[in-house]
Amino acid sequence: MTEAYAVRVPRGYRVGRWEVREPIASGAFGSVYAARRRTDDNDAGPPGLPGRAALKFLPTGTRTPRQLTHLRELAERELELLSRLTSPRLIRLYEALTVDDPSHPELDGATVLVLEKAEDSLSALLGRTPAPAAGPVLLAQVCAGLAQLHRAGWVHGDLKPANVLLMADGSARLADFNMAAELEGTHGYTPAFSTPDYTPPELLWAEIGERGRRIRPSADVWAFGVLAHLVLTGSFPLPGSTPTVRRDAAVAYARGTEVLRLSPELPSAWAEIVGACLTRTHTGRIGTEALLRRVETVTATAPAGARFRRPSRRTTVLGAALATASVAALGYGIATWAGDVVSGDAKGRGAPANGAALYGAEDLRTDRGVPAAYRLLIVETAHDCDQPAVTAPLIAAMLKVESDFDPDLSDPALDEYGIARWTPRVLRWWMNEDGTPGETVPSPPFPPAESIPAMGRYLCWIAPRLSAGLPGDRRVLVAAAYRTSWNVVNKAGGVPGEYRAYAARVAHYLQEYTPPGRK
């Protein structure tokens, strides 16, 4: 079974001028954590260094010799590209560090890339909103990023939605350059890994030499064509219900035994662009500069309102976004918990990480029905509270009782909505991470990414206001106060009679979700 983290870094760990906060993503080759710059550090660092960043840990000091060679190559590729290229369409590298900490041998020697922190990813956006209205604008920005890379003599090598990050101002950045290749004439060399759905047919059967697999800029053009079709129609251009079936369809198409059937939902101008990207052979594909001109021309005629809006607090939390039924982590060149990075052998086999289902196992049982999609939110929300009574099992138990983990719950009769049954006028006071109330009463729906952290903040406020001598489990008393108020619980000397059935259900699931030895 895949480990939840390639590199486990405790919350609060310090590396350089940075303090590690919540996890963002993890995969076979590394792990990404949110971080904040330490205010007690006299070294302000390079000019323009932000207060928050994303730390990408690569375990370059703790693996086998073969693994270390591979990891160092990945790190060197990304460092080389980001240190040499500065572009508004590429994710920014602030600095690179090496962990020097013999007291933590599992971290000692790790390479740490300090990267610009995104608000969202294209993968997460598509999970929430297939074929978004802002699709043409985002595609134009992605294409501009590819053109900038190719002009500088680099091929991305792994373009896909998870590797397109969306910033706070709504702009798109290309990320994950550990598969990038610097051109030597018409070709470069990249490791033998890729995501089958975005790999051109000629690379699916390409020979792999000592330096890796030969790659051309036309590989990025093919990937852009697939990406554009997916963004604009919500479907892949080649038929099949799995990546393996679609890979076989791509091979058949390249050999002339299948034709390319684009979705009828694709606008005609974009159908011409996608068709020019997805030719059977690389020689027939449109060049990047010509592609950019055509994309910009088409985008200029898009409706004026088709612009990507800044993600609200309802769709971003803890550096991750909820996409359908799984946590879609931001793509910093790491296989996410949804398992969207696959090792690119000839048969397209891969082993997705299973970290979402395992996350926080020491705090919250993994075998009692807590949906994997919400484990990160639940566990990290509990960690953000310093009250012993506010635990991950308590939050999970309350969500179970409040809504049965239903993110779309709507009960207008009680004016309660979402997974935590928030009343809008009450949620207003707990929706902001900095403790300030919202400027206006929010309107439902209330996504879990907003509801669960707000629940934690409210519980953390309730806990110290309950009288010290109340009988019963302190955690259950906190839950009862959430349903009524801390003042009512104090006056009743415990759980009020009308809330005892509710409290009993919370107590039942609290016991269910608490790991052995944590009772």
Side-chain angles (χ1 to χ4, degrees), residues 95 120 128 171 174 472 482 484 512:
E95 58 181 333
D120 206 352
R128 297 190 304 271
S171 61
L174 298 186
Y482 179 84
T484 171
E512 281 277 298

Side-chain angles (χ1 to χ4, degrees), residues 1 7 86 93 109 117 121 175 218 223 227 259 263 266 269 292 296 356 363 370 378 397 485 494 497 503:
M1 182 176 290
V7 186
T86 301
L93 173 71
K117 191 175 185 297
S121 72
S218 58
L227 182 71
V259 297
S263 170
L266 195 63
L292 178 60
E296 289 180 337
D363 297 306
V370 178
I378 292 169
S485 77

Side-chain angles (χ1 to χ4, degrees), residues 59-405:
T60 46
T62 57
R63 297 300 179 92
T64 66
R66 183 176 180 180
Q67 290 172 325
L68 288 177
T69 298
H70 176 65
L71 285 168
R72 285 174 184 145
E73 181 184 355
L74 296 180
E76 287 167 3
R77 284 174 182 271
E78 191 151 18
L79 271 171
E80 179 72 11
L81 187 149
L82 288 174
S83 62
R84 287 169 52 182
L85 301 184
T86 301
S87 163
R89 292 287 165 249
L90 308 182
I91 201 72
R92 183 177 175 186
L93 173 71
Y94 295 116
E95 58 181 333
L97 307 169
T98 300
V99 176
D100 182 8
D101 188 359
S103 65
H104 288 79
E106 72 282 3
L107 295 175
D108 193 35
T111 296
V112 182
L113 306 183
V114 183
L115 300 164
E116 191 174 13
K117 191 175 185 297
E119 290 289 328
D120 206 352
S121 72
L122 182 57
S123 177
L125 174 63
L126 295 178
R128 297 190 304 271
T129 311
V137 174
L138 294 177
L139 288 171
Q141 294 178 353
V142 170
C143 192
L146 285 182
Q148 290 161 358
L149 277 177
H150 293 179
R151 288 182 204 126
W154 288 82
V155 179
H156 187 286
D158 196 20
L159 177 66
K160 58 187 177 183
N163 292 338
V164 177
L165 300 184
L166 306 179
M167 313 311 292
D169 62 0
S171 61
R173 303 275 201 281
L174 298 186
D176 181 8
F177 302 106
N178 51 35
M179 302 296 174
E182 188 171 13
L183 294 173
E184 301 172 13
T186 60
H187 295 79
Y189 295 88
T190 187
F193 291 88
S194 62
T195 307
D197 272 322
Y198 301 89
T199 302
E202 67 270 14
L203 292 187
L204 291 172
W205 59 69
E207 292 185 3
I208 300 170
E210 291 183 1
R211 298 183 62 190
R213 184 168 54 188
R214 294 176 66 181
I215 192 171
R216 306 175 182 89
S218 58
D220 286 344
V221 172
W222 171 279
F224 180 83
V226 176
L227 182 71
H229 194 281
L230 180 65
V231 167
L232 297 172
T233 70
S235 65
F236 287 100
L238 291 158
S241 58
T242 67
T244 299
V245 175
R246 292 191 291 269
R247 180 212 64 211
D248 292 343
V251 172
Y253 164 64
R255 290 174 175 168
T257 58
E258 286 284 350
V259 297
L260 187 64
R261 298 181 178 89
L262 301 180
S263 170
E265 298 179 11
L266 195 63
S268 57
W270 277 101
E272 294 179 5
I273 291 173
V274 171
C277 294
L278 302 182
T279 60
R280 285 191 169 93
T281 65
H282 72 89
T283 56
R285 275 172 221 149
I286 188 171
T288 313
E289 295 295 337
L291 173 62
L292 178 60
R293 289 194 295 271
R294 291 177 66 172
V295 168
E296 289 180 337
T297 299
V298 170
T299 305
T301 64
R307 297 293 184 268
F308 180 74
R309 292 177 296 176
R310 175 175 179 167
S312 70
R313 291 190 56 79
R314 298 179 188 177
T315 56
T316 57
V317 67
L318 304 177
L322 293 178
T324 61
S326 64
V327 175
L330 304 184
Y332 290 93
I334 295 293
T336 71
W337 290 313
D340 63 353
V341 171
V342 182
S343 64
D345 64 8
K347 293 182 171 55
R349 294 185 293 257
N354 195 29
L358 299 176
Y359 183 76
E362 66 277 11
D363 297 306
L364 186 64
R365 289 191 69 149
T366 61
D367 59 347
R368 289 295 189 270
V370 178
Y374 308 129
R375 292 188 67 89
L376 171 69
L377 287 165
I378 292 169
V379 173
E380 288 301 317
T381 293
H383 286 175
D384 281 339
C385 178
D386 60 2
Q387 295 295 317
V390 180
T391 64
L394 172 64
I395 294 171
M398 291 179 62
L399 294 173
K400 173 68 176 177
V401 175
E402 294 285 350
S403 67
D404 197 22
F405 297 110

